[in-house]
Amino acid sequence: MDQEDRIALFLDYENLALGARDHRGDVAFDFRPIGDALAERGRVVVRRAYADWSYFDEDRRMLTRSHVELIEIPQRMGASRKNAADIKMAVDAIELAFERDYISTFVICSGDSDFTPLVHKLRELNKRVIGVGVEGSTSALLPPACDEFLYYDRLEGVDIPPTRGRRGRPTRQPGPDQRPPEQEREPEPEPEEEPGRDVDALAVQVAQTVAGLQGSASGEVTASRLKRTLLRKDPTFSESDYGFRTFGELLRHLAAHNVIELAEGPAKGDPEVSLPEHGDREVAFGLLRGVVGDLGSGGNPVALSGLKNQLRRARPDFSEKKLGYRSFLQFCKAAATSGAVDLRWSPEADDYLLTAQG
């Protein structure tokens, strides 16, 4: 248990509950999906929700069952009441950060950008910060400030609001021997499909991240380290948005498509991740050598500028980023190191020149 994160949860209840109701078709807010998501990340030792509870009388029982401490904000008018809740919540969080060293993670449940300075201060105090907000009512400033940001709408267990179809004009009921006119029949609304995310773009992002970790730091790149780095780049990242139940399932999918390689890591369930040393890289280097050889028949050098377009004509799906290279020049330098081509800078041409080898 000593290895578990200790989590302190702070709920700006008015912001979260009203945001959920306003942007999710009046579907009632449910705390349990948040509690379940945090249980997967550590041990929640503090649960506090801030509001004027006379406005949320029906929610008291639901929160009490989840062992959430209800902090009463005295009744005030309009913005004064809202500011009082925000200030009280921020003061309590900072006080807890100083008094409870064992608390390693703070969860700020709000989409209000006013909490951004609080997030910065907690991270300055070496605390991990997770944000939770409703997607339609969360400020664009808050998620990038957090170590991880969870959209309430995407959490496991959150009910999907029903799709509302347009109402047509009421029509007269046909008699027993009459069939309703075709033009008066209202077509049934087709269910809206949730837009999927581009797994190919994710593969590029993962390959680039693995390449960066391999080149800039010592030691092996483990799955847990890779996940933390992806979250630093995009705190809203979640493998479930791409259709995968776990991060391990995502990595196995990418390994099956030769984007990465997996090997046994230092801990069980935390494999080592690396880029393929052969396979697609060797094929790509051979493609480069062949295109350079064709363009520079007779051993003439070929300029780097425009060369990538020539490779894509030969292989439309070519992308150096899928192989873990940040730029086409970096890919060509790797090909030169492998002996596929010769690469040199030409002051006269003001460009790199390539010559096919072998």
Side-chain angles (χ1 to χ4, degrees):
M1 191 171 68
D2 290 337
Q3 301 298 323
E4 290 182 318
D5 281 341
R6 266 63 165 193
I7 299 174
L9 169 65
F10 291 85
L11 271 157
D12 177 11
Y13 197 76
E14 182 173 345
N15 178 278
L16 200 62
L18 293 183
R21 291 169 183 171
D22 292 345
H23 293 273
R24 306 192 67 254
D26 291 330
V27 175
F29 173 77
D30 186 5
F31 173 77
R32 285 176 299 175
I34 295 178
D36 292 344
L38 297 182
E40 297 169 357
R41 288 162 171 79
R43 182 179 172 216
V44 182
V45 296
V46 175
R47 296 177 176 89
R48 295 179 186 174
Y50 297 75
D52 182 347
W53 295 106
S54 63
Y55 289 86
F56 302 100
D57 191 56
E58 296 180 358
D59 297 349
R60 286 172 175 265
R61 185 176 299 176
M62 179 263 294
L63 293 170
T64 302
R65 283 199 301 264
S66 298
H67 309 286
V68 177
E69 180 184 1
L70 307 182
I71 307 299
E72 180 72 40
I73 303 301
Q75 290 190 10
R76 293 187 175 92
M77 296 298 294
S80 297
R81 175 173 54 82
K82 180 66 172 69
N83 290 339
D86 293 354
I87 293 171
K88 173 64 174 170
M89 182 169 147
V91 169
D92 286 357
I94 292 297
E95 182 181 34
L96 206 64
F98 280 104
E99 291 185 351
R100 304 287 189 268
D101 290 339
Y102 57 83
I103 295 179
S104 58
T105 302
F106 283 74
V107 179
I108 306 300
C109 293
S110 177
D112 194 341
S113 62
D114 289 347
F115 286 105
T116 304
L118 171 62
V119 172
H120 288 313
K121 179 57 66 175
L122 289 171
R123 296 186 67 185
E124 185 180 325
L125 295 172
N126 197 30
K127 305 297 183 181
R128 185 167 183 261
V129 181
I130 299 175
V132 181
V134 177
E135 193 163 6
S137 62
T138 296
S139 167
L141 298 175
L142 188 59
C146 301
D147 293 294
E148 182 179 3
F149 197 90
L150 306 175
Y151 284 116
Y152 172 77
D153 320 57
R154 304 179 189 176
L155 294 180
E156 187 72 26
V158 175
D159 293 331
I160 300 174
T163 303
R164 295 180 177 180
R166 291 188 304 171
R167 290 186 176 182
R169 285 185 176 183
T171 57
R172 292 180 300 173
Q173 294 294 328
D177 298 328
Q178 292 179 327
R179 296 181 61 186
E182 293 295 329
Q183 63 270 22
E184 293 184 1
R185 291 183 182 178
E186 183 180 356
E188 296 181 1
E190 296 182 1
E192 294 183 3
E193 295 184 2
E194 187 174 342
R197 297 206 172 186
D198 190 355
V199 179
D200 288 339
L202 175 63
V204 171
Q205 184 182 7
V206 170
Q208 285 182 318
T209 304
V210 173
L213 288 172
Q214 288 180 331
S216 62
S218 59
E220 65 276 356
V221 179
T222 60
S224 58
R225 184 180 173 192
L226 174 61
K227 177 71 177 287
R228 289 195 300 269
T229 305
L230 290 171
L231 284 170
R232 290 192 193 105
K233 290 183 173 183
D234 179 10
T236 67
F237 168 79
S238 174
E239 60 275 1
S240 62
D241 291 339
Y242 298 88
F244 299 98
R245 293 171 296 176
T246 64
F247 190 62
E249 183 179 328
L250 164 63
L251 293 182
R252 290 191 291 273
H253 171 82
L254 296 180
H257 288 77
N258 207 32
V259 177
I260 58 173
E261 288 182 348
L262 298 177
E264 186 176 351
K268 186 177 180 180
D270 192 14
E272 182 179 346
V273 186
S274 61
L275 294 176
E277 294 297 331
H278 302 288
D280 280 358
R281 281 191 178 187
E282 294 297 327
V283 172
F285 290 162
L287 173 66
L288 176 64
R289 180 176 58 243
V291 171
V292 170
D294 292 340
L295 294 175
S297 56
N300 295 320
V302 177
L304 180 69
S305 300
L307 182 58
K308 183 175 179 178
N309 292 333
Q310 298 296 329
L311 262 68
R312 284 183 169 171
R313 288 181 181 176
R315 183 176 169 182
D317 64 339
F318 170 80
S319 171
E320 74 280 355
K321 292 181 173 59
K322 284 186 179 181
L323 302 171
Y325 300 106
R326 297 182 183 275
S327 66
F328 185 63
L329 175 59
Q330 187 183 31
F331 164 73
C332 291
K333 287 181 177 179
T337 302
S338 72
V341 295
D342 177 67
L343 178 70
R344 61 181 177 85
W345 174 257
S346 170
E348 295 81 9
D350 194 26
D351 199 355
Y352 283 97
L353 299 180
L354 294 87
T355 308
Q357 298 294 307

